[in-house]
Amino acid sequence: MVKGNLSQDLTINSQDEIQEMAENFDQMRHSLRDSIKKIEEQNGKLYQEAYFNTLTKLPNRKKLYSDLNEQAITALLVVNINDFSEFNDFYGINSGDAIIIEVAERITKYCQALNDWTVHKTGPDEFSIAYISAPSMSLTRAALADFANQLSDSICQKALVLDNNKFYISVSIGGAMIDTDLATNITL
C-alpha cells in the first residue's frame, strides 16, 4: 500500500491467520478512509460557519480580519444601509432579510467586474469591500471616491421590490486607504 493512500485494496490469498489479518486490516482501512472523509466534510462545514454569513453566503467579519492579515489590502470601504433597523422593525425580519440579500447581490455584482475587490458581510446592515492590490497597481483617493459613488448609485438608484411594493434605500459609504510603505506590519 502506498503511504497515505487508503483507496488501494490489499489482496492476500492464503487460507490462514495472515488472510484473516489482511481482511481485518482492510476493514480498518475502509473505516479510517470513511472517518477521514467525514472529518474533512465537518471541517468544511465548520469553515463555512466560521468565515461566511449564512444569509448572504458572503465572507464575514472574521474572514475580513483573516484577509487583512494575509493579503495586501490597500483600501477598505464600509457600506451601511441607512435606517435599516427601522425598516426591519416596521416590515419584519423576512423583508429585512430580503433587503440584505438584494443589497449583497447588487454590491457583489458591481464588484465582480473589478477583480481586485472582495465583499464581506460584516454587520447586520453593513458590508465591507476590500481592495487587494497587485504590486504594480495603485489606487488613488479620487479613484476610491469615484468607486464609492458609483457603488452607491448601483445600490440606491434602482428600487427594491418586495411583495409588489417598491422601496428605495440609501447607504452611507466610508473608506480608508493604507499606505503600504508605512504599514508593513499591521496586527489586528
Side-chain angles (χ1 to χ4, degrees):
M1 180 178 322
V2 178
K3 182 180 179 183
N5 182 356
L6 298 175
S7 63
Q8 187 175 0
D9 285 330
L10 178 64
T11 309
I12 296 178
N13 290 323
S14 72
Q15 302 297 319
D16 58 10
E17 60 273 353
I18 301 277
Q19 176 69 34
E20 187 177 326
M21 284 176 46
E23 289 171 1
N24 288 337
F25 180 77
D26 201 41
Q27 287 176 345
M28 288 188 307
R29 182 185 55 80
H30 282 288
S31 177
L32 183 58
R33 184 185 62 207
D34 293 344
S35 294
I36 289 171
K37 184 178 179 182
K38 286 179 184 176
I39 289 169
E40 288 172 347
E41 289 171 1
Q42 289 173 341
N43 283 343
K45 288 178 184 177
L46 288 172
Y47 181 83
Q48 282 295 120
E49 289 174 14
Y51 288 107
F52 290 86
N53 177 270
T54 56
L55 180 64
T56 63
K57 309 298 186 244
L58 289 173
N60 63 17
R61 180 181 302 273
K62 194 181 291 188
K63 180 70 168 113
L64 174 63
Y65 291 160
S66 174
D67 290 349
L68 285 169
N69 284 323
E70 295 173 3
Q71 298 179 12
I73 295 175
T74 57
L76 187 68
L77 291 174
V78 177
V79 179
N80 187 281
I81 303 172
N82 295 332
D83 303 317
F84 176 75
S85 61
E86 289 83 1
F87 180 92
N88 201 36
D89 290 345
F90 187 78
Y91 292 102
I93 293 173
N94 291 337
S95 294
D97 286 353
I99 294 292
I100 293 293
I101 292 168
E102 179 64 27
V103 170
E105 288 173 359
R106 289 181 185 190
I107 293 171
T108 302
K109 183 179 177 184
Y110 182 78
C111 292
Q112 278 180 342
L114 310 165
N115 295 332
D116 299 329
W117 295 90
T118 304
V119 182
H120 297 81
K121 172 82 168 59
T122 53
D125 58 352
E126 181 181 277
F127 300 86
S128 295
I129 306 163
Y131 178 70
I132 303 164
S133 66
S136 62
M137 300 293 290
S138 64
L139 181 70
T140 64
R141 291 184 191 281
L144 183 62
D146 187 47
F147 177 85
N149 287 327
Q150 290 177 18
L151 176 63
S152 177
D153 290 346
S154 74
I155 297 168
C156 301
Q157 284 186 347
K158 184 179 174 188
L160 295 137
V161 180
L162 298 173
D163 299 325
N164 295 325
N165 295 311
K166 290 183 179 182
F167 298 97
Y168 287 90
I169 62 165
S170 65
V171 296
S172 298
I173 301 178
M177 296 182 70
I178 299 170
D179 185 348
T180 53
D181 294 332
L182 298 174
T184 54
N185 293 318
I186 296 177
T187 305
L188 298 176

mmCIF file of all heavy atoms in Angstrom, residues 43-54 57 60:
data_model
loop_
_atom_site.group_PDB
_atom_site.id
_atom_site.type_symbol
_atom_site.label_atom_id
_atom_site.label_comp_id
_atom_site.label_asym_id
_atom_site.label_seq_id
_atom_site.Cartn_x
_atom_site.Cartn_y
_atom_site.Cartn_z
ATOM 1 N N ASN A 43 -14.952 19.642 8.726
ATOM 2 C CA ASN A 43 -14.051 20.802 8.692
ATOM 3 C C ASN A 43 -14.524 21.826 7.669
ATOM 4 O O ASN A 43 -14.461 23.031 7.915
ATOM 5 C CB ASN A 43 -12.613 20.372 8.395
ATOM 6 C CG ASN A 43 -11.933 19.762 9.588
ATOM 7 O OD1 ASN A 43 -12.379 19.912 10.725
ATOM 8 N ND2 ASN A 43 -10.850 19.046 9.342
ATOM 9 N N GLY A 44 -14.999 21.357 6.519
ATOM 10 C CA GLY A 44 -15.534 22.255 5.506
ATOM 11 C C GLY A 44 -16.756 23.009 6.016
ATOM 12 O O GLY A 44 -16.894 24.214 5.814
ATOM 13 N N LYS A 45 -17.635 22.299 6.713
ATOM 14 C CA LYS A 45 -18.828 22.936 7.283
ATOM 15 C C LYS A 45 -18.435 23.941 8.359
ATOM 16 O O LYS A 45 -18.991 25.041 8.427
ATOM 17 C CB LYS A 45 -19.772 21.887 7.857
ATOM 18 C CG LYS A 45 -20.489 21.075 6.810
ATOM 19 C CD LYS A 45 -21.380 20.025 7.448
ATOM 20 C CE LYS A 45 -22.017 19.137 6.400
ATOM 21 N NZ LYS A 45 -22.823 18.070 7.012
ATOM 22 N N LEU A 46 -17.500 23.573 9.211
ATOM 23 C CA LEU A 46 -17.043 24.482 10.259
ATOM 24 C C LEU A 46 -16.402 25.733 9.665
ATOM 25 O O LEU A 46 -16.608 26.842 10.158
ATOM 26 C CB LEU A 46 -16.059 23.777 11.199
ATOM 27 C CG LEU A 46 -16.663 22.744 12.140
ATOM 28 C CD1 LEU A 46 -15.556 21.996 12.876
ATOM 29 C CD2 LEU A 46 -17.619 23.396 13.124
ATOM 30 N N TYR A 47 -15.631 25.563 8.607
ATOM 31 C CA TYR A 47 -15.015 26.704 7.934
ATOM 32 C C TYR A 47 -16.095 27.629 7.389
ATOM 33 O O TYR A 47 -16.021 28.851 7.547
ATOM 34 C CB TYR A 47 -14.097 26.215 6.808
ATOM 35 C CG TYR A 47 -13.401 27.335 6.076
ATOM 36 C CD1 TYR A 47 -12.237 27.897 6.578
ATOM 37 C CD2 TYR A 47 -13.919 27.841 4.883
ATOM 38 C CE1 TYR A 47 -11.593 28.927 5.923
ATOM 39 C CE2 TYR A 47 -13.278 28.872 4.216
ATOM 40 C CZ TYR A 47 -12.119 29.402 4.743
ATOM 41 O OH TYR A 47 -11.506 30.433 4.081
ATOM 42 N N GLN A 48 -17.115 27.043 6.743
ATOM 43 C CA GLN A 48 -18.218 27.847 6.208
ATOM 44 C C GLN A 48 -18.918 28.609 7.330
ATOM 45 O O GLN A 48 -19.199 29.792 7.201
ATOM 46 C CB GLN A 48 -19.234 26.958 5.484
ATOM 47 C CG GLN A 48 -18.831 26.531 4.101
ATOM 48 C CD GLN A 48 -18.727 27.687 3.141
ATOM 49 O OE1 GLN A 48 -17.666 27.917 2.593
ATOM 50 N NE2 GLN A 48 -19.785 28.410 2.912
ATOM 51 N N GLU A 49 -19.213 27.935 8.431
ATOM 52 C CA GLU A 49 -19.902 28.573 9.549
ATOM 53 C C GLU A 49 -19.049 29.660 10.194
ATOM 54 O O GLU A 49 -19.569 30.681 10.624
ATOM 55 C CB GLU A 49 -20.293 27.534 10.596
ATOM 56 C CG GLU A 49 -21.411 26.614 10.159
ATOM 57 C CD GLU A 49 -21.691 25.512 11.156
ATOM 58 O OE1 GLU A 49 -21.212 25.583 12.306
ATOM 59 O OE2 GLU A 49 -22.406 24.567 10.790
ATOM 60 N N ALA A 50 -17.753 29.439 10.260
ATOM 61 C CA ALA A 50 -16.858 30.394 10.917
ATOM 62 C C ALA A 50 -16.575 31.612 10.055
ATOM 63 O O ALA A 50 -16.429 32.716 10.575
ATOM 64 C CB ALA A 50 -15.544 29.708 11.299
ATOM 65 N N TYR A 51 -16.493 31.456 8.740
ATOM 66 C CA TYR A 51 -15.999 32.525 7.881
ATOM 67 C C TYR A 51 -17.006 33.068 6.861
ATOM 68 O O TYR A 51 -16.651 33.941 6.069
ATOM 69 C CB TYR A 51 -14.747 32.063 7.144
ATOM 70 C CG TYR A 51 -13.545 31.951 8.050
ATOM 71 C CD1 TYR A 51 -13.047 30.708 8.424
ATOM 72 C CD2 TYR A 51 -12.911 33.087 8.537
ATOM 73 C CE1 TYR A 51 -11.942 30.607 9.261
ATOM 74 C CE2 TYR A 51 -11.822 32.992 9.376
ATOM 75 C CZ TYR A 51 -11.339 31.754 9.727
ATOM 76 O OH TYR A 51 -10.249 31.658 10.553
ATOM 77 N N PHE A 52 -18.248 32.585 6.867
ATOM 78 C CA PHE A 52 -19.215 33.054 5.881
ATOM 79 C C PHE A 52 -20.563 33.329 6.526
ATOM 80 O O PHE A 52 -20.993 32.611 7.424
ATOM 81 C CB PHE A 52 -19.365 32.039 4.739
ATOM 82 C CG PHE A 52 -18.139 31.974 3.881
ATOM 83 C CD1 PHE A 52 -17.076 31.153 4.214
ATOM 84 C CD2 PHE A 52 -18.035 32.747 2.742
ATOM 85 C CE1 PHE A 52 -15.930 31.111 3.444
ATOM 86 C CE2 PHE A 52 -16.895 32.719 1.961
ATOM 87 C CZ PHE A 52 -15.840 31.900 2.312
ATOM 88 N N ASN A 53 -21.227 34.381 6.051
ATOM 89 C CA ASN A 53 -22.543 34.757 6.535
ATOM 90 C C ASN A 53 -23.570 33.788 5.957
ATOM 91 O O ASN A 53 -23.590 33.563 4.745
ATOM 92 C CB ASN A 53 -22.832 36.203 6.104
ATOM 93 C CG ASN A 53 -24.200 36.664 6.507
ATOM 94 O OD1 ASN A 53 -25.151 36.508 5.759
ATOM 95 N ND2 ASN A 53 -24.300 37.229 7.696
ATOM 96 N N THR A 54 -24.435 33.249 6.794
ATOM 97 C CA THR A 54 -25.387 32.240 6.326
ATOM 98 C C THR A 54 -26.472 32.823 5.424
ATOM 99 O O THR A 54 -26.954 32.141 4.529
ATOM 100 C CB THR A 54 -26.042 31.513 7.516
ATOM 101 O OG1 THR A 54 -26.649 32.481 8.377
ATOM 102 C CG2 THR A 54 -25.035 30.701 8.293
ATOM 103 N N LYS A 57 -24.224 34.378 2.141
ATOM 104 C CA LYS A 57 -23.141 33.489 1.682
ATOM 105 C C LYS A 57 -21.841 34.239 1.416
ATOM 106 O O LYS A 57 -20.904 33.700 0.840
ATOM 107 C CB LYS A 57 -23.537 32.681 0.432
ATOM 108 C CG LYS A 57 -24.842 31.949 0.516
ATOM 109 C CD LYS A 57 -24.865 30.904 1.593
ATOM 110 C CE LYS A 57 -26.128 30.077 1.575
ATOM 111 N NZ LYS A 57 -26.947 30.198 2.736
ATOM 112 N N ASN A 60 -17.507 36.763 6.101
ATOM 113 C CA ASN A 60 -17.941 37.595 7.221
ATOM 114 C C ASN A 60 -16.791 38.411 7.808
ATOM 115 O O ASN A 60 -15.696 38.453 7.259
ATOM 116 C CB ASN A 60 -18.619 36.731 8.292
ATOM 117 C CG ASN A 60 -17.688 35.703 8.905
ATOM 118 O OD1 ASN A 60 -16.469 35.793 8.803
ATOM 119 N ND2 ASN A 60 -18.265 34.715 9.556
#
